[in-house]
Structures are given as C-alpha cells and as structure tokens.
Amino acid sequence: MTTSLARNRNYTLLWGGQALAEVGFSASLIAFPLLVLAITGSPAASGLVLAVDATAQLLAGLPAGALVDRWDRRRIMLACEAAQALALGSLVLALLGDAASVPHMVAVAAVLGVCRALFEPAEDACLPRLVPDAQLATAVAMNAARSSLGQMSGTALGGALFAVARWAPFLLDLVTHCLAFVALLFLRVPPREPVAVAERHLLREIGDGLRWVWRRREIRVTALCAVVLNLFFTAFYLVVIVLAEARGVSSAAIGVMAAMLGVGGVVGALIAPWLHRVLGPYVSIAAVFWVLTLLTPVAYFVSDGFVMGGLFALMTLLAPTANTTISTHQLLLTPDAMRGRLSGVVSVVLGAAGALGPALGGLLTEFLSADRAVLVCAVGIALVTAFVTISPTLRRYSAEQEGVPNEV
C-alpha cells in the first residue's frame, strides 16, 4: 500500500521548509524596490536590483542544470540556503547600521538569483526519488500550490513589515531560509546510481542537456507553445493594468486584480491532481490555451477592476493542471542523470519569455491604444491555441510514453 504524501517524511520536510522559504522570498522581493527607492529616490535604481536578480537566475540557469546533474543534489540545496541566509544577514546588518548601499543590494540580489537557479533544478531532480511515480503529479501540483501561497502571503507580509522597519522583510527572509536549511539537514534522498564519466566538461554537459530537450519532440513542442503563451499573457497583464488606469480603476482595485491571479493559481493547484487524472494529458494541456483564448478578448469590454480580477482568477485556474501534466511527463521520461539539465533548460526558456513579455506589453501600449493592445495579445494567444489544437504531437501526449528520444 502506497503511503500518502502527508505521511512521506522526506517530501513533507522538503515541502514545509520551502513553503517557509517562499514566504520569505516573496517578502524580500516586494521590499527590494521599496528599499532602493527609499534610499536613493531613483526608480531606475529600484528596477536595477530586480533586473539583476532575474538576470543572474537566467544566466546561471544552464550551467546550474549541468552542475545539479554532476553534484550531490541535497548538498546543493543546503549550500543555496546557507548562501542566501548569509547574503540576507549581511543586508540586515547593513540596514541596522544605516550602511546599506546600492552595490551591496545588487550583490545580494545576484546571490539570490544564482541560488534559485541552482536550487530549483536540484529540487525538481530530487522529487521523483522522494515520491512514487503514481504520486508525482500530486507532488508537482502541491509544489505549485506552495509557490502560489508563498507569493500571496509573502507579498502581503513584505509590504506590512517594510512599513514597520526597512530591515524587517529581509530578516523574515533570513529566518525562513535558516528554517529551510534545518529541514534539509533531516532530508534523506535515496542515493543515485553512479554514472561513469571519463572526463567532465561543463560546456559539453550543457550541450548534452540542450540536445536531449531538442530531440524529445513532445518537450520541444510543449516548451515552444508555453513560451509563446507566456510571452503574450505577461504582455496582456501589463496592458490590462494600463487599460484599467486609463478607465479610472482605483489603485486598490488594481491591487485586487493582481491578487486574484494568485487566488486562481492556488485553487487551480489544489484541484490540479484531480483534473490531471480526469481530463487526460492532451485536454489538460489544451484546456488552458482554450480558456485564455476565450477570456482574453473579454478584457476589452470590462471596465470594473473587481470583475477583471475575477477574469484573472479564471484565466489562471487551469494553468497548474497543464503544468502538472507537462512536468510529471518530463520528469518520468527523463533519465535521473539528465533531470537537472532538463529543469535548467526549461527554466531559462520560460524565464526569458516571462522577461520579454512585459517589454512587449510596453511596446504595444506605446504604439497602440491599450484596448487595441488587448486585441493584439488575444490574437497571439488564439494563434498558439490553434496550433495546440491541431498538433499531432500534443494529441498523442501521454505520461506513460517510454523515455526513448524521438527523432527530429
């Protein structure tokens, strides 16, 4: 009889520790631009810190995936938690001593970005060794719920704590990373089978990971579709914010709109294991594209911020089910020795799309009216949905496929 995830000691240790770390991370993420703005008064410097964090994660993504496949994954996670705690501790001390500077904050942001680039593929690669294959989809969905809950609660805490003291959100992040480090000390990951390697070469290992992803047709196609969808949806999000302001929606209502994205994500993650089983692989993936295609044009007619918030919640409701289906399938078909590189490649590709989306949204609102920009995003999402609908690769998509590379 299979033990439930709630009674899986190793999984609950990892999940609980990272649930705390997610809260701390979201608290410091919202506090960082506020801190830089308070110290320098420069919006450009404020954006620089977050840009460095995201850029460091992207640049480190591919090497990190290769290193995760080379090194002990539990030790990588421990080292990442320790490094983040030390970086945050230095910032808290600097703030308490009124000695914080922009270069110091940039350095801390870079450390946090690199650590996440290492930690995330290490955790992804460990997951199939901690839970049975039959429970992997549920574990992936619960991790998504953890992230959404951490983002919602951490963002609220970060803003409230910053109002109390500038150092308070970063102290919270420091404490949560220390607790996550302690949880990882008790984590036991089953040993991996030794892989005989005559000579290790980082660039060659990165290339092997890129080739693995490219040769798997289903990974290649789902990644391409996800990139296009993320690009247009993140652009759409910025366009809707601009449109709401133009239509006189209050700042408070816009805040509720943004929060409803998280609400939809949390509810969607909780029901994702059930929907994953009921809908099957193809419908689980295609449904999120179809829903976004139907709902995106509705924003053209909506002028109430709270109604738009409800629309956002519906848009994100099915995304965790698609992510659960795709992630579970990819982890099961990928050899353990390649899982870190798989996660690194996918994270870099999707992260780049997420970074370019707001830029696209800004350009659209610069050269078009906001309502027309909504329609451009809707057309982009509809086109990728049409491809998903007719794609023979996605129609044959199945989590039970053998892990043998497809030919290009």
Side-chain angles (χ1 to χ4, degrees), residues 250-327:
S250 68
S251 298
I254 291 176
V256 171
M257 283 168 49
M260 290 303 288
L261 281 170
V263 172
V266 170
V267 175
L270 293 175
I271 63 175
W274 175 74
L275 286 177
H276 169 77
R277 291 191 300 270
V278 170
L279 298 180
Y282 170 67
V283 176
S284 293
I285 296 169
V288 69
F289 289 84
W290 295 333
V291 167
L292 285 173
T293 297
L294 292 173
L295 294 182
T296 301
V298 177
Y300 182 89
F301 305 100
V302 174
S303 57
D304 184 272
F306 298 102
V307 174
M308 191 63 227
L311 198 63
F312 273 163
L314 291 174
M315 286 178 168
T316 55
L317 189 65
L318 294 181
T321 302
N323 291 337
T324 295
T325 299
I326 293 169
S327 297

Side-chain angles (χ1 to χ4, degrees), residues 60-71:
L62 294 179
L67 293 174
V68 163
D69 287 334
R70 179 190 293 188
W71 294 341

Side-chain angles (χ1 to χ4, degrees), residues 30-47:
I30 192 69
F32 249 130
L34 298 175
L35 175 63
V36 180
L37 195 59
I39 291 176
T40 67
S42 168
S46 180

